[in-house]
Each structure stands twice: as C-alpha cells, then as structure tokens.
Amino acid sequence: MCLAVPGRIVDKRDDRGTAMATIDFGGVRKEICLASLPDIEVGDYAIVHAGFAISRVDVASALETLRLFEEIGEEIGESGEP
C-alpha cells in the first residue's frame, strides 16, 4: 500500500530533455521527474510516487490532506500507538 502525500513544486528545470523539479514535502525537499506532468508549474502541488510526479492536486485539497496527516501524527504521538 502506498501513502500519497502532496508536495509543492519549488523549482522546475530541464535536465537533458527531461522535465525535473524540486518538491517540498513540509520542509523535506526531493528531486522528482515531471515527465508525466510537464505542464505543472512552480507553486502547484503534486502527488509523487517513486520519484515521479503522477498527479496534480489543487491547493485546497493538498492543504487539507497535509492538515489531516499532521492531526493523525499528533494523535499517534499522544497515544504512543500507531
């Protein structure tokens, strides 16, 4: 099972003909391939799997998902139970 976490595109570039980007997952930045989403723009949110952006996510949905993950993390931290 995969857990899809939205990340925000912070830069976009061409790397020898392949669209690449840096994506920010709440302070953790990763290099990703944009081959499946070449029209995504800096500031947009995307779902990433295995280093590839696979889906664009609207800002409201991305922020709500991140809020829910934070809430779940806080509850786990308080209870000590996964």
Side-chain angles (χ1 to χ4, degrees), residues 1-27:
M1 177 170 75
C2 294
L3 179 63
V5 179
R8 187 177 57 84
I9 305 294
V10 295
D11 75 24
K12 184 177 170 182
R13 65 196 166 282
D14 184 278
D15 186 359
R16 293 176 270 171
T18 301
M20 299 292 292
T22 303
I23 193 165
D24 185 298
F25 295 102

Short mmCIF file of all heavy atoms in Angstrom, two decimals, residues 1-27:
data_model
loop_
_atom_site.label_atom_id
_atom_site.label_comp_id
_atom_site.label_asym_id
_atom_site.label_seq_id
_atom_site.Cartn_x
_atom_site.Cartn_y
_atom_site.Cartn_z
N MET A 1 0.84 -1.17 0.00
CA MET A 1 0.00 0.00 0.00
C MET A 1 0.89 1.24 0.00
O MET A 1 1.91 1.28 0.67
CB MET A 1 -0.90 0.00 1.24
CG MET A 1 -1.75 1.23 1.32
SD MET A 1 -3.03 1.16 2.59
CE MET A 1 -2.08 1.38 4.06
N CYS A 2 0.48 2.24 -0.75
CA CYS A 2 1.23 3.50 -0.83
C CYS A 2 0.46 4.58 -0.10
O CYS A 2 -0.76 4.60 -0.09
CB CYS A 2 1.42 3.93 -2.27
SG CYS A 2 2.46 2.83 -3.20
N LEU A 3 1.20 5.49 0.48
CA LEU A 3 0.62 6.66 1.10
C LEU A 3 0.98 7.86 0.24
O LEU A 3 2.16 8.14 0.04
CB LEU A 3 1.19 6.83 2.51
CG LEU A 3 0.71 8.03 3.30
CD1 LEU A 3 -0.79 7.93 3.54
CD2 LEU A 3 1.44 8.11 4.61
N ALA A 4 -0.01 8.52 -0.32
CA ALA A 4 0.24 9.64 -1.21
C ALA A 4 0.23 10.94 -0.42
O ALA A 4 -0.78 11.31 0.17
CB ALA A 4 -0.81 9.68 -2.31
N VAL A 5 1.37 11.61 -0.40
CA VAL A 5 1.49 12.88 0.31
C VAL A 5 1.73 13.98 -0.72
O VAL A 5 2.63 13.86 -1.55
CB VAL A 5 2.67 12.84 1.30
CG1 VAL A 5 2.82 14.17 2.02
CG2 VAL A 5 2.49 11.71 2.30
N PRO A 6 0.92 15.03 -0.70
CA PRO A 6 1.15 16.11 -1.66
C PRO A 6 2.38 16.93 -1.29
O PRO A 6 2.68 17.13 -0.12
CB PRO A 6 -0.12 16.95 -1.56
CG PRO A 6 -0.71 16.64 -0.24
CD PRO A 6 -0.26 15.26 0.13
N GLY A 7 3.08 17.38 -2.30
CA GLY A 7 4.23 18.26 -2.12
C GLY A 7 4.11 19.43 -3.08
O GLY A 7 3.45 19.35 -4.11
N ARG A 8 4.78 20.55 -2.72
CA ARG A 8 4.72 21.77 -3.53
C ARG A 8 5.96 21.88 -4.40
O ARG A 8 7.08 21.74 -3.93
CB ARG A 8 4.62 22.99 -2.61
CG ARG A 8 4.38 24.30 -3.34
CD ARG A 8 4.22 25.46 -2.37
NE ARG A 8 5.35 25.59 -1.48
CZ ARG A 8 6.48 26.25 -1.79
NH1 ARG A 8 6.61 26.81 -2.96
NH2 ARG A 8 7.46 26.31 -0.93
N ILE A 9 5.76 22.14 -5.68
CA ILE A 9 6.86 22.33 -6.62
C ILE A 9 7.54 23.66 -6.30
O ILE A 9 6.90 24.70 -6.29
CB ILE A 9 6.35 22.34 -8.08
CG1 ILE A 9 5.55 21.09 -8.42
CG2 ILE A 9 7.51 22.55 -9.06
CD1 ILE A 9 6.32 19.80 -8.41
N VAL A 10 8.86 23.60 -6.01
CA VAL A 10 9.59 24.83 -5.68
C VAL A 10 10.50 25.31 -6.79
O VAL A 10 10.89 26.47 -6.82
CB VAL A 10 10.37 24.71 -4.35
CG1 VAL A 10 9.41 24.52 -3.19
CG2 VAL A 10 11.38 23.60 -4.39
N ASP A 11 10.87 24.42 -7.71
CA ASP A 11 11.57 24.84 -8.92
C ASP A 11 11.36 23.80 -10.00
O ASP A 11 10.94 22.69 -9.72
CB ASP A 11 13.06 25.12 -8.68
CG ASP A 11 13.91 23.87 -8.52
OD1 ASP A 11 13.54 22.78 -9.01
OD2 ASP A 11 14.98 23.96 -7.90
N LYS A 12 11.60 24.22 -11.21
CA LYS A 12 11.37 23.36 -12.37
C LYS A 12 12.48 23.62 -13.36
O LYS A 12 12.89 24.77 -13.54
CB LYS A 12 10.00 23.72 -12.97
CG LYS A 12 9.57 22.86 -14.12
CD LYS A 12 8.17 23.27 -14.56
CE LYS A 12 7.83 22.58 -15.87
NZ LYS A 12 6.53 22.96 -16.37
N ARG A 13 12.99 22.56 -14.00
CA ARG A 13 14.10 22.72 -14.94
C ARG A 13 14.10 21.58 -15.95
O ARG A 13 13.42 20.57 -15.78
CB ARG A 13 15.42 22.77 -14.19
CG ARG A 13 15.74 21.48 -13.48
CD ARG A 13 16.83 21.64 -12.42
NE ARG A 13 16.88 20.48 -11.56
CZ ARG A 13 16.06 20.22 -10.57
NH1 ARG A 13 15.06 21.03 -10.31
NH2 ARG A 13 16.19 19.15 -9.83
N ASP A 14 14.89 21.76 -16.97
CA ASP A 14 15.10 20.74 -17.99
C ASP A 14 16.45 20.08 -17.73
O ASP A 14 17.46 20.78 -17.61
CB ASP A 14 15.07 21.37 -19.38
CG ASP A 14 15.20 20.33 -20.45
OD1 ASP A 14 16.34 19.92 -20.75
OD2 ASP A 14 14.17 19.91 -20.99
N ASP A 15 16.47 18.78 -17.60
CA ASP A 15 17.70 18.04 -17.38
C ASP A 15 17.91 17.09 -18.55
O ASP A 15 17.31 16.02 -18.60
CB ASP A 15 17.64 17.27 -16.06
CG ASP A 15 18.95 16.59 -15.70
OD1 ASP A 15 19.92 16.69 -16.47
OD2 ASP A 15 18.99 15.96 -14.64
N ARG A 16 18.68 17.55 -19.54
CA ARG A 16 18.96 16.76 -20.76
C ARG A 16 17.68 16.27 -21.44
O ARG A 16 17.57 15.11 -21.83
CB ARG A 16 19.89 15.60 -20.43
CG ARG A 16 21.28 16.07 -20.04
CD ARG A 16 22.14 14.93 -19.63
NE ARG A 16 21.93 14.80 -18.19
CZ ARG A 16 22.37 13.82 -17.45
NH1 ARG A 16 23.05 12.84 -17.99
NH2 ARG A 16 22.14 13.79 -16.16
N GLY A 17 16.70 17.17 -21.53
CA GLY A 17 15.46 16.86 -22.23
C GLY A 17 14.35 16.29 -21.36
O GLY A 17 13.26 16.02 -21.85
N THR A 18 14.60 16.11 -20.08
CA THR A 18 13.59 15.59 -19.16
C THR A 18 13.19 16.68 -18.17
O THR A 18 14.05 17.29 -17.55
CB THR A 18 14.12 14.37 -18.37
OG1 THR A 18 14.51 13.36 -19.30
CG2 THR A 18 13.08 13.81 -17.43
N ALA A 19 11.89 16.91 -18.05
CA ALA A 19 11.40 17.90 -17.08
C ALA A 19 11.60 17.36 -15.67
O ALA A 19 11.15 16.27 -15.33
CB ALA A 19 9.92 18.18 -17.33
N MET A 20 12.31 18.15 -14.86
CA MET A 20 12.61 17.77 -13.48
C MET A 20 12.21 18.92 -12.55
O MET A 20 12.03 20.05 -13.00
CB MET A 20 14.11 17.48 -13.32
CG MET A 20 14.63 16.35 -14.17
SD MET A 20 13.99 14.73 -13.69
CE MET A 20 14.77 14.50 -12.09
N ALA A 21 12.11 18.62 -11.26
CA ALA A 21 11.74 19.64 -10.29
C ALA A 21 12.26 19.27 -8.91
O ALA A 21 12.61 18.13 -8.65
CB ALA A 21 10.22 19.80 -10.24
N THR A 22 12.25 20.27 -8.05
CA THR A 22 12.42 20.05 -6.62
C THR A 22 11.04 20.22 -6.01
O THR A 22 10.33 21.17 -6.34
CB THR A 22 13.39 21.08 -6.01
OG1 THR A 22 14.64 21.00 -6.70
CG2 THR A 22 13.60 20.82 -4.53
N ILE A 23 10.67 19.28 -5.15
CA ILE A 23 9.36 19.33 -4.50
C ILE A 23 9.58 19.38 -3.00
O ILE A 23 10.50 18.76 -2.48
CB ILE A 23 8.47 18.15 -4.93
CG1 ILE A 23 7.02 18.36 -4.53
CG2 ILE A 23 9.01 16.83 -4.40
CD1 ILE A 23 6.05 17.43 -5.22
N ASP A 24 8.76 20.16 -2.32
CA ASP A 24 8.88 20.33 -0.87
C ASP A 24 7.73 19.60 -0.19
O ASP A 24 6.57 19.89 -0.43
CB ASP A 24 8.84 21.82 -0.54
CG ASP A 24 9.07 22.09 0.93
OD1 ASP A 24 8.26 21.63 1.74
OD2 ASP A 24 10.05 22.77 1.25
N PHE A 25 8.10 18.65 0.67
CA PHE A 25 7.13 17.92 1.49
C PHE A 25 7.26 18.43 2.92
O PHE A 25 7.91 17.80 3.76
CB PHE A 25 7.41 16.42 1.47
CG PHE A 25 7.24 15.77 0.13
CD1 PHE A 25 8.35 15.47 -0.64
CD2 PHE A 25 5.99 15.46 -0.35
CE1 PHE A 25 8.21 14.84 -1.87
CE2 PHE A 25 5.84 14.84 -1.59
CZ PHE A 25 6.94 14.55 -2.34
N GLY A 26 6.75 19.61 3.20
CA GLY A 26 6.79 20.15 4.55
C GLY A 26 8.19 20.33 5.10
O GLY A 26 8.44 20.03 6.25
N GLY A 27 9.10 20.80 4.28
CA GLY A 27 10.47 21.04 4.71
C GLY A 27 11.46 20.02 4.21
O GLY A 27 12.66 20.24 4.23
#
